[in-house]
């Protein structure tokens, strides 16, 4: 008996693509609303209002890192898991450096997904096995074509970069590697 917007005995949407699109939109918006209400409950519990002013929550352990690089509106210092609630600056710096490394790797991974859609390297991925770059599918399916020795080379290369070039120095800002240039390119130019 639920009609449009769940109104009992109301009009119903005619079957077809329009109905499917609108019902999918309702599900997506419902999911977003579920996340929003949980955020409102959380903020209400901390500030006394779902639209509370975070400046009233002066006991927040997050205040210790409010002036750090990466604190951005509208969230301010973002630590939903509460990993910094103890205020340990060394642990914060280590986590921030790790966050930046992971962010850089993720950006490169995004390029790895996008670039093959527009073109591929000429030649062979594995000359000994006769696998050309053109034969590789895009996305995760490409892993099925890469020989085990190729994956081992990736792991070795990433490990060498991690342990030799991009080593965290506690005397420097998180993510500021001594031999990492612009965008973390080893031995690249600096800003």
């Amino acid at each position: 008996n639920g009609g449009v917007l769940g109104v009992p005995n109301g009009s119903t949407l005619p079957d077809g693509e329009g109905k499917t699109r609108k019902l999918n939109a309702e599900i997506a918006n419902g999911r977003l609303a579920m996340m929003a209400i949980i955020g409102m409950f959380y903020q209400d519990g901390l500030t006394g209002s779902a639209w509370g002013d975070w400046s009233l929550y002066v006991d927040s352990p997050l205040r210790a890192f409010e002036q750090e690089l990466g604190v951005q509106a509208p969230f301010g210092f973002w630590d939903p898991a509460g990993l910094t609630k103890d205020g340990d600056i060394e642990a914060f710096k280590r986590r921030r450096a790790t966050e930046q490394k992971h962010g850089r790797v993720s950006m490169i991974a995004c390029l790895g997904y996008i670039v093959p859609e527009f073109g591929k390297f000429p030649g062979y991925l594995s000359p000994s096995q006769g696998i050309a770059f053109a034969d590789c599918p895009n996305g995760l399916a490409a892993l099925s074509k890469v020989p085990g020795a190729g994956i081992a080379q990736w792991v070795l290369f990433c490990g060498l970069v991690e342990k030799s070039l991009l080593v965290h120095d506690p005397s420097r800002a998180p993510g500021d590697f001594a031999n990492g240039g612009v965008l973390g390119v080893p031995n690249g130019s600096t800003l």
Side-chain angles (χ1 to χ4, degrees):
N1 285 350
V4 176
L5 301 177
V7 175
N9 297 319
S11 64
T12 58
L13 294 171
D15 288 336
E17 186 178 323
K19 180 177 182 178
T20 301
R21 186 175 49 80
K22 289 178 181 178
L23 290 175
N24 279 332
E26 179 184 13
I27 290 171
N29 290 334
R31 290 173 180 160
L32 181 62
M34 286 185 271
M35 293 302 295
I37 194 66
I38 294 301
M40 289 179 206
F41 289 156
Y42 182 77
Q43 187 164 343
D44 186 32
L46 293 177
T47 66
S49 169
W51 308 111
D53 183 356
W54 282 106
S55 65
L56 299 177
Y57 184 50
V58 295
D59 297 329
S60 173
L62 306 179
R63 298 280 186 228
F65 303 108
E66 277 190 339
Q67 302 305 314
E68 292 294 332
L69 184 66
V71 175
Q72 300 172 352
F75 299 109
F77 180 70
W78 178 249
D79 181 23
L83 297 174
T84 59
K85 62 184 172 190
D86 59 359
D88 182 352
I89 189 69
E90 291 307 315
F92 168 78
K93 285 183 176 183
R94 182 182 55 76
R95 287 187 184 110
R96 179 54 54 94
T98 301
E99 176 187 18
Q100 287 178 321
K101 281 184 188 180
H102 290 170
R104 289 170 179 164
V105 167
S106 295
M107 288 185 273
I108 292 169
C110 286
L111 285 174
Y113 254 75
I114 296 168
V115 170
E117 295 291 332
F118 298 101
K120 297 190 180 195
F121 290 119
Y124 287 91
L125 169 69
S126 176
S128 63
Q129 295 183 10
I131 303 171
F133 285 108
D135 297 336
C136 283
N138 294 342
L140 290 175
L143 291 175
S144 67
K145 292 283 191 174
V146 178
I151 294 175
Q153 289 173 13
W154 289 346
V155 172
L156 180 63
F157 175 76
C158 291
L160 287 172
V161 170
E162 176 83 14
K163 294 298 182 189
S164 63
L165 291 173
L166 301 180
V167 178
H168 174 62
D169 179 357
S171 67
R172 299 175 75 97
D176 181 16
F177 302 108
N179 53 3
V182 175
L183 301 177
V185 175
N187 298 318
S189 63
T190 59
L191 291 174

